[in-house]
Every structure is written in structure tokens, then in C-alpha cells.
């Protein structure tokens, strides 16, 4: 059973936009902290944006002002609106959930931190 299913990736030119979606099982959506992680080619998975259960929204410094995380409680869906994309945004984007708050991972960007639940990822390619 897949608990997190991402969609919305694709190929765009620099400056373009994409919106990623992640359908989350209801049990996880209502109880866990949710976030998006990015793995650039040849690099570790790092935090991008998160919504913790207490309502705290946090972003990695590299995406502040360009990416917006949101969720739709009626649809159990997590979103990542990605604007003004840059070539360095290229990579796999994962939806994730964990019982621990994710804010610290967005600030510190600790690599490859195990998550309670992690989606399969959706590919984003930004060409210059």
C-alpha cells in the first residue's frame, strides 16, 4: 500500500513553474508532520519545505520566495508550488511524513534523514 503518492513533476525552462501534489493516506495526513525533500543528481536528499502539525511552515533558504507549500485537508493532499525554477532545482522531489517536526531539517538540511513515510518521488528537470 502506498501511503504517499506524488505527481506533477516535469521539464521546464529556467524561470518556469510547476506544482507538485502528494496524495497522503488519511491516517498519516491528520497525524504526521509533512514535507517535501529534494535529491539533486549525485547528491543527498535534503529538505525543501514543510508543514508541521502545529501549523509551522518552513523552507530551505535556497527556495524561500520561490516555493510555496500548502495542503488541502478535504483532499488529504500536500502541494508544492514551485515558481522561478532554476537549473539547480533539478532532481527527484519526495513527499515525506514523520512524527517528529520537520522544521529543523529545512533549516539545517541534514542529508538523507530517515522518514517514517517517504514517497517514490517525482522528477523535476529545469533547463537553462
Amino acid at each position: 500500500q502506498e501511503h504517499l503518492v506524488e505527481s506533477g513533476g516535469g521539464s521546464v525552462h529556467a524561470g518556469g513553474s510547476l506544482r507538485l501534489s502528494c496524495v497522503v493516506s488519511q491516517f498519516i495526513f491528520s497525524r504526521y508532520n509533512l514535507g517535501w525533500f529534494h535529491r539533486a543528481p549525485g547528491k543527498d536528499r535534503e529538505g525543501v519545505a514543510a508543514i508541521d502539525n502545529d501549523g509551522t511552515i518552513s523552507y530551505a533558504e535556497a527556495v524561500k520566495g520561490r516555493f510555496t507549500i500548502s495542503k488541502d485537508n478535504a483532499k488529504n493532499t500536500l502541494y508544492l508550488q514551485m515558481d522561478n525554477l532554476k537549473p539547480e532545482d533539478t532532481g527527484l522531489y519526495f513527499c515525506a511524513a514523520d512524527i517528529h517536526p520537520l522544521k529543523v531539517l529545512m533549516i539545517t538540511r541534514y542529508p538523507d534523514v530517515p522518514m517514517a513515510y517517504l514517497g517514490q518521488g517525482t522528477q523535476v528537470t529545469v533547463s537553462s
Side-chain angles (χ1 to χ4, degrees):
Q1 179 183 1
E2 293 182 333
H3 297 285
L4 307 169
V5 181
E6 304 100 333
S7 63
S11 297
V12 297
H13 291 293
S17 297
L18 286 171
R19 189 176 81 154
L20 307 184
S21 300
C22 177
V23 178
V24 184
S25 64
Q26 184 166 357
F27 175 84
I28 295 171
F29 191 88
S30 61
R31 292 171 173 79
Y32 283 68
N33 304 290
L34 303 174
W36 290 96
F37 290 76
H38 171 226
R39 176 179 288 141
K43 297 189 177 181
D44 297 321
R45 174 171 45 82
E46 296 179 334
V48 174
I51 298 181
D52 287 330
N53 259 344
D54 64 357
T56 300
I57 291 178
S58 54
Y59 298 95
E61 194 64 34
V63 306
K64 282 183 179 178
R66 300 190 298 120
F67 290 11
T68 304
I69 190 171
S70 63
K71 62 181 182 177
D72 186 329
N73 294 334
K75 297 181 179 179
N76 291 343
T77 301
L78 182 72
Y79 299 102
L80 185 67
Q81 177 65 42
M82 310 165 71
D83 298 318
N84 190 21
L85 282 160
K86 302 177 180 181
E88 52 264 40
D89 296 322
T90 293
L92 275 171
Y93 283 78
F94 300 88
C95 177
D98 201 85
I99 199 68
H100 300 100
L102 300 180
K103 177 180 179 180
V104 65
L105 299 182
M106 304 302 133
I107 297 172
T108 62
R109 308 203 82 185
Y110 287 134
D112 284 336
V113 175
M115 292 284 112
Y117 297 95
L118 189 68
Q120 293 298 309
T122 184
Q123 176 69 35
V124 170
T125 302
V126 184
S127 58
S128 57

